[in-house]
């Protein structure tokens, strides 16, 4: 029964979400990315994130850009576990505000840049029907453990049956903000470099409660604490009655009738028929048969009442302890931490048609510390620390201008997931990685005029997690993504971008031996942004 206290913690894991990029990293950091999906050779304002060495290709002056995305994801779990109320569970992940901003001050040979955006997280998941692992745990804890343990209460007219109800409230947020500063430098007309660092102040907030756990008793739901309190009172009263009966027999034993049966002491006039019936009824309530009772002497009967009283008192104490475990529970905690990501990059442009961007983000060491106000679970101890490292990333991009009307780009990302300890999933299995996550994208831009550009992109993402890594709370899928959008140069200084992307994931199975579960996702998002330049 104690495992019921895990319910809020299981739900908290749902807020750890990403939308584009590796297992933990968001690479959807501009409207230009949504409309092309390939920005690793960018020389526009979003190069602050994607290709910072390429900023040297911008004109001298101050450049500013701000963007927002609205992202929606549906997660679907289909479980073959035979005792669930439904086999399909859907969760909605919503991030209506997903802002990014960039600033660049470019001089002849140097460029100072700043970037801001949600580098990880940024959403929460809502499963209205729960999740298979959650339902299975509650089913096992209530119907598999608690209900059978209360079977003995049927002797008191309390028939505890399979079935339960509970009210669960939860709110959670998770975001790893990225604040990036760096310096780009021109080495030659064809080659530039970058060095910078990203600071990631990170915060997870969790607030939830379990209220009004109810058991099915005599065909109706009743609050578990109320029921167990009533049951404890009834059992305690029965224990006291048994103790009183044992004490009431002591005068007979003192008088030398301890070896007599009930028939004998009734025949001798020590007790009347009513007292005989009372003693027999008390013994039968303790589980003895009438034949056993008739064969017992007074001393044995006193011993049975004493043992029964002790057993009933122990049962009452156990019911009181269980009553505390099924009471209302709450958690209110905040996890905070920060880390630094060193970043280096290079840009190569052999001619006016070809541009190549390279970037390496080092592994980010990070630890999150609990700041807990309320924790009835005992699992969010105030001050406890949890490792939360972000893997290193290597990116490369090539852009080629075929003509004034058409250009194309290819981008490749690889995430060094094998170098990070991912801990355990909700099933207490090690999250193992078979190979590093990678992405390959193609972006196409059609310049319809000097003002309007139409773009599209396609990306293949391949995860390297093992089947053991996945669970219904956290799973990683390979995917295909398509994007489309426009660029509108309203003036020489002002540019507007808008994009749409949709991701289709490959569903994955997890084998539980006697049944399997299938995990799938679908994501789509919209982005709009504006950039402004003050030329020097």
């Amino acid at each position: 029964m104690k495992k019921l206290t895990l319910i809020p913690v299981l739900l908290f894991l749902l807020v750890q979400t990403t939308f584009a990029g590796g297992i933990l990293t968001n690479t959807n950091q501009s409207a230009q990315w949504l409309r092309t999906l390939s920005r690793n050779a960018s020389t526009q304002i979003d190069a602050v994130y994607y290709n910072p060495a390429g900023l040297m290709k911008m004109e001298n002056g101050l450049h500013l850009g701000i963007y927002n995305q609205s992202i929606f994801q549906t997660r679907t779990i289909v479980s073959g576990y035979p005792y669930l109320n439904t086999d399909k569970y859907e969760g909605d992940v919503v991030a209506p505000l997903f802002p990014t901003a960039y600033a660049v001050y470019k001089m002849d040979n140097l460029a100072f840049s700043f970037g801001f955006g949600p580098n990880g997280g940024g959403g929460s998941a809502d499963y209205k029907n729960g999740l298979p692992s959650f339902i299975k745990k509650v089913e096992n804890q209530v119907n598999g453990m608690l209900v059978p343990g209360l079977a003995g209460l049927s002797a008191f007219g309390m028939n505890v049956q399979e079935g339960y109800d509970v009210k669960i409230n939860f709110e959670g947020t998770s975001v790893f903000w990225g604040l990036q500063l760096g310096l780009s430098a021109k080495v030659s007309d064809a080659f530039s470099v970058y060095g910078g660092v990203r600071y990631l102040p990170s915060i997870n907030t969790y607030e939830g409660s379990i209220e009004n756990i109810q058991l099915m008793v005599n065909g109706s739901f009743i609050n578990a604490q109320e029921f167990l309190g009533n049951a404890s009172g009834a059992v305690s009263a029965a224990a006291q009655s048994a103790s009183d009966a044992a004490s009431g027999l002591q005068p007979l034993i003192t008088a030398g009738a301890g070896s007599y049966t009930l028939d004998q002491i009734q025949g001798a006039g020590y007790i009347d028929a009513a007292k005989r019936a009372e003693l027999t009824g008390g013994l039968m309530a303790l589980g003895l048969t009438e034949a056993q009772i008739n064969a017992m002497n007074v001393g044995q009967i006193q011993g049975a009442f004493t043992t029964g009283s002790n057993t009933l008192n122990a049962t009452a104490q156990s019911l009181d302890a269980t009553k505390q475990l099924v009471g209302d529970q709450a958690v209110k905690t905040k996890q905070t931490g920060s880390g630094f990501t060193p970043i280096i990059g290079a840009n190569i442009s052999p001619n006016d048609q070809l541009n190549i961007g390279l970037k390496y983000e080092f592994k980010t060491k990070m630890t999150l510390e609990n700041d807990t106000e309320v924790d009835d679970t005992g699992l969010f101890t105030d001050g406890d620390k949890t490792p939360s490292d972000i893997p290193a990333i290597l990116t490369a991009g090539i852009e080629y201008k075929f003509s004034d009307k058409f250009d194309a780009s290819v981008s490749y990302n690889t995430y060094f997931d094998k170098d990070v300890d991912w801990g355990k999933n909700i099933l207490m299995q090690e999250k193992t990685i078979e190979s590093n996550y990678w992405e390959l994208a193609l972006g196409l831009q059609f310049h319809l005029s000097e003002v309007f550009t139409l773009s599209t992109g396609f990306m293949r993402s391949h995860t390297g997690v093992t089947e053991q890594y996945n669970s219904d709370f956290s799973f990683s899928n390979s995917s295909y993504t398509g994007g489309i959008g426009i660029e509108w140069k309203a003036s020489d200084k002002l540019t507007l971008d808008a994009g749409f992307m949709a991701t289709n994931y490959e569903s994955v199975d997890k084998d539980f031996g006697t049944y399997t579960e299938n995990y799938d996702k679908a994501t789509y998002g919209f982005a709009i942004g504006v950039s402004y330049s003050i030329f020097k």
Side-chain angles (χ1 to χ4, degrees), residues 45 48 55 62-65 101-105 112-115:
I45 183 70
V48 172
L55 294 172
L62 177 64
H63 307 270
L64 304 171
Y102 303 112
V104 177
Y105 185 72
F112 298 91
S113 60
F114 167 80

Side-chain angles (χ1 to χ4, degrees), residues 270-283:
Y270 287 107
I271 60 172
D272 57 19
K275 185 63 175 178
R276 163 73 181 272
E278 178 185 332
L279 290 171
T280 298
L283 291 169

Side-chain angles (χ1 to χ4, degrees), residues 388-505:
S388 187
D389 295 346
I390 299 174
I393 307 171
L394 175 65
T395 73
I398 300 174
E399 182 180 63
Y400 190 80
K401 296 181 179 179
F402 290 90
S403 69
D404 291 340
K405 296 293 186 180
F406 174 65
D407 60 71
S409 64
V410 176
S411 293
Y412 176 79
N413 301 331
T414 185
Y415 304 81
F416 295 93
D417 299 328
K418 295 184 71 174
D419 296 335
V420 173
D421 181 3
W422 295 95
K424 296 182 179 181
N425 62 24
I426 197 62
L427 306 171
M428 299 310 294
Q429 300 170 330
E430 291 292 337
K431 289 185 173 182
T432 53
I433 305 294
E434 187 173 67
S435 60
N436 291 325
Y437 194 111
W438 59 263
E439 297 168 318
L440 182 63
L442 170 66
L444 305 174
Q445 295 198 98
F446 304 90
H447 305 286
L448 306 180
S449 68
E450 292 183 357
V451 175
F452 285 103
T453 295
L454 176 65
S455 62
T456 188
F458 173 81
M459 182 171 68
R460 167 61 171 166
S461 302
H462 186 272
T463 185
V465 304
T466 65
E467 181 180 329
Q468 183 170 291
Y469 176 100
N470 291 321
S471 70
D472 54 0
F473 280 87
S474 177
F475 49 92
S476 180
N477 309 61
S478 297
S479 64
Y480 297 91
T481 301
I484 192 170
I486 62 168
E487 176 189 77
W488 173 37
K489 293 183 178 180
S491 70
D492 290 341
K493 296 181 178 181
L494 181 65
T495 301
L496 285 83
D497 289 276
F500 168 80
M501 69 135 186
T503 301
N504 181 48
Y505 296 84

Side-chain angles (χ1 to χ4, degrees), residues 70-300:
S70 296
I71 308 171
F72 309 90
Q73 185 179 92
T74 299
R75 298 184 174 194
T76 303
I77 296 101
V78 177
S79 178
Y81 187 69
Y83 302 110
L84 300 176
N85 55 352
T86 179
D87 62 352
K88 188 175 183 179
Y89 298 81
E90 290 189 345
D92 296 319
V93 182
V94 179
L97 297 176
F98 196 93
T100 53
Y102 303 112
V104 177
Y105 185 72
K106 163 68 167 46
M107 298 180 288
D108 290 334
N109 297 317
L110 294 174
F112 298 91
S113 60
F114 167 80
F116 166 81
N119 216 62
S124 60
D126 177 18
Y127 288 86
K128 299 186 184 302
N129 295 325
L131 280 171
S133 55
F134 165 67
I135 302 297
K136 284 184 282 186
K137 283 181 178 290
V138 176
E139 176 75 21
N140 180 60
Q141 292 154 15
V142 177
N143 289 337
M145 297 169 58
L146 179 60
V147 171
L150 300 177
L153 294 177
S154 58
F156 297 87
M158 304 175 186
N159 296 303
V160 184
Q161 301 148 318
E162 288 194 0
Y164 59 89
D165 193 19
V166 61
K167 180 181 179 182
I168 301 173
N169 297 305
F170 169 75
E171 291 182 8
T173 63
S174 175
V175 63
F176 291 9
W177 293 109
L179 301 169
Q180 181 179 327
L181 288 172
L183 175 65
S184 304
K186 178 181 177 181
V187 178
S188 69
D189 290 341
F191 186 67
S192 58
V193 294
Y194 170 84
V197 65
R198 182 182 299 121
Y199 172 60
L200 291 104
S202 306
I203 181 170
N204 298 331
T205 62
Y206 308 131
E207 185 170 358
S209 64
I210 303 176
E211 299 175 329
N212 194 23
I213 297 175
Q214 299 185 63
L215 299 175
M216 177 71 73
V217 183
N218 296 336
S220 300
F221 282 119
I222 182 172
N223 178 271
Q225 272 206 314
E226 178 185 345
F227 167 72
L228 292 170
N230 293 338
S232 175
V235 173
S236 293
Q240 185 60 52
S241 295
S243 177
D244 291 344
S247 298
L249 292 173
Q250 186 58 42
L252 292 174
I253 295 173
T254 301
S259 60
Y260 292 179
T261 64
L262 289 179
D263 282 339
Q264 290 172 329
I265 60 175
Q266 182 181 358
Y270 287 107
I271 60 172
D272 57 19
K275 185 63 175 178
R276 163 73 181 272
E278 178 185 332
L279 290 171
T280 298
L283 291 169
M284 292 182 72
L286 294 177
L288 296 172
T289 65
E290 188 170 1
Q292 290 173 321
I293 296 168
N294 291 335
M296 296 170 68
N297 61 39
V298 172
Q300 292 170 329

